[in-house]
Amino acid sequence: MRKLILLTFIALLLPGAARSEALSLDSCRAFALANNKQIKMADEAVRGAGYVKKSAFAAYLPGIDFTAGYMYNQHIIELLGEDAKLPTMTFNPATQQYDYNLVKMPDGTPVKDPATGSYIPSEVAVIPKEAMSYDVHNVFAGAFTLTQPIYMGGQIRALNDMAKAGEEVAVSARNVAVQDLLYSVDEAYWLVVSLRSKQKLAEGYVALVDSLNYSVTKLLENGMATRSDLLNVEVKLNEARIAYTKVTNGLSLARMALQQLCGLPIGAPLTLADEETMATPKVERLPDYDLQQVYQRRQDLEALRRSISLLRGKEKLSLSAMLPKIAAVGTYAFSNPNVIHGFEKRFGGGFSVGAALTIPLWHWGGNYHQYRAAKSATLAQQLLLEDMEEKVELQVNQAKYKFEEAYKTLDMTRTNMEKADENLRNAELGYKEGVLTVDDVTAAQTAWLQAHSEEVDAEIGVQLCNVYLSKVLGLMPY
């Protein structure tokens, strides 16, 4: 891991120096991780999920809000249409009560107003119309509100559980993307190595056929070979050159594909450390593994497990919609004009505290059906996880057989290659001694090419088999 970090640092700061030398597999991986856009997107997704988690935790804490407003009114408020005249009262010691001050006849009988039939007061208290008129042309108002959730039916806890699970899903998805990228880089790397080996093999084959062509030409000049022999060799030589051209073009395209994965300039010179000497891994037996540990290490399965936790959080969130909710509320409100001490043309306000309770009563089963839908989604994801575990078990078994097959194939191809080398030497010697024909030599050369090509494929197959086994067992770094 330290080596990978160091290579990534070099890839970011000294790309020119790194590219001037042969790149190893680790350095190609480091370049890919440093430059790949999908990995950067996955990193941003993880970062965003972390912010969502912090946002969900903030729901536990009290929220403070400020609200302000301004309103212009066309008219002033006039509570009285005209001056108000209110009757007065005088305390009567005889009755120990207050009596209205009324106009009375000489005999003490109160006088009534003929028009209204009500008594006529002898004294009145006047409230001027202007005293009950208020200027509300310009009204300013504002409020600070503090809200503290006390019990939200488990909604806040569910949101926090979902945010935590969402972050873990993002991390697992990022790890899967890294492993897929590394696997692609390994495949592209060994493809370049394979094609480079086949290019050198094609060069050797062209040299073999060209040497035979030269020998047959000389023999034809001396009358020891036929024109048909020469034409046969020339056809083989053209086929060898065509094969060399194809493998060279394929190698150029493979280098470009690797450069694209690594984020390097496409078409720039690229040399790999294993192009000249490829070391075949020495593995005596299949690594020990336990399927349960494989399940725990596999990041794609981990992403599914975390998504199940996320869906369970949605269940709790849907359940909270059917439970009561309690919150404490505190407010400081102010306005201008204010009515605290009369109707004053200045700012004034005060505090108020209280509590709010919400109890869902009847929603025609809507909330309950949402809860059942959330449970169904969780069950479906659980079944998907079980299905994926079965497929992983199949992948592990396939990797096991591929592992054993790759090493057996490598041993057999090396044996075949030794026999093909010996067969070619015998064919060339027999042709020089005149006991074998040109067709025998070209057939031996073709068998030599095929045996060496199969040996290259087997060596690359071993490399890819080990990479695939590492990915399937969840051992590939991320």
Side-chain angles (χ1 to χ4, degrees), residues 27-96:
S27 60
C28 288
R29 286 180 169 189
F31 276 117
L33 291 176
N35 299 318
N36 186 264
K37 299 296 188 299
Q38 297 295 327
I39 302 302
K40 292 181 180 179
M41 292 169 57
D43 289 336
E44 288 300 323
V46 173
R47 190 173 294 109
Y51 293 141
V52 172
K53 181 180 177 181
K54 293 179 180 180
S55 173
F57 180 77
Y60 284 114
L61 306 177
I64 301 176
D65 301 293
F66 172 72
T67 305
Y70 165 79
M71 181 177 291
Y72 172 79
N73 297 296
Q74 179 182 0
H75 301 287
I76 65 173
I77 297 178
E78 295 180 344
L79 299 181
L80 297 177
E82 59 183 11
D83 293 345
K85 301 178 179 62
L86 303 178
T88 62
M89 301 180 73
T90 302
F91 185 73
N92 188 342
T95 61
Q96 295 294 311

Side-chain angles (χ1 to χ4, degrees), residues 207-263:
L208 280 176
V209 181
D210 188 55
S211 176
L212 179 62
N213 181 68
Y214 177 79
S215 299
V216 173
T217 301
K218 291 298 182 181
L219 291 174
L220 179 62
E221 293 175 355
N222 296 325
M224 299 176 64
T226 65
R227 180 64 179 170
S228 177
D229 292 336
L230 180 61
L231 292 176
N232 186 19
V233 174
E234 288 178 348
V235 169
K236 290 294 183 180
L237 181 58
N238 288 334
E239 291 177 353
R241 288 171 177 169
I242 292 173
Y244 175 78
T245 301
K246 289 183 177 180
V247 74
T248 300
N249 292 337
L251 176 60
S252 299
L253 293 175
R255 290 188 194 276
M256 293 179 185
L258 180 60
Q259 288 170 332
Q260 190 277 328
L261 283 173
C262 296

Side-chain angles (χ1 to χ4, degrees), residues 321-392:
M322 297 183 285
L323 301 177
K325 300 173 179 61
I326 304 174
V329 181
T331 303
Y332 178 82
F334 58 90
S335 64
N336 183 1
N338 72 86
V339 293
I340 297 176
H341 301 290
F343 208 90
E344 296 179 309
K345 290 282 290 182
R346 64 179 184 178
F347 283 101
F351 290 97
S352 59
V353 295
L357 171 64
T358 302
I359 302 177
L361 296 179
W362 185 255
H363 293 274
W364 301 100
N367 294 334
Y368 178 71
H369 293 316
Q370 288 182 357
Y371 173 68
R372 292 295 299 272
K375 288 185 70 68
S376 296
T378 304
L379 179 58
Q381 197 74 354
Q382 184 67 44
L383 294 173
L384 176 61
L385 175 61
E386 294 175 1
D387 181 64
M388 289 297 296
E389 287 179 347
E390 293 175 357
K391 292 179 179 178
V392 166

Side-chain angles (χ1 to χ4, degrees), residues 205 208-209 212 232-233 236 420 423-424 427-428 436-451:
Y205 182 61
L208 280 176
V209 181
L212 179 62
N232 186 19
V233 174
K236 290 294 183 180
N423 181 51
L424 179 59
E428 291 176 343
L436 295 178
T437 65
V438 172
D439 291 337
D440 295 327
V441 177
T442 56
Q445 290 175 341
T446 302
W448 175 89
L449 176 64
Q450 182 178 358

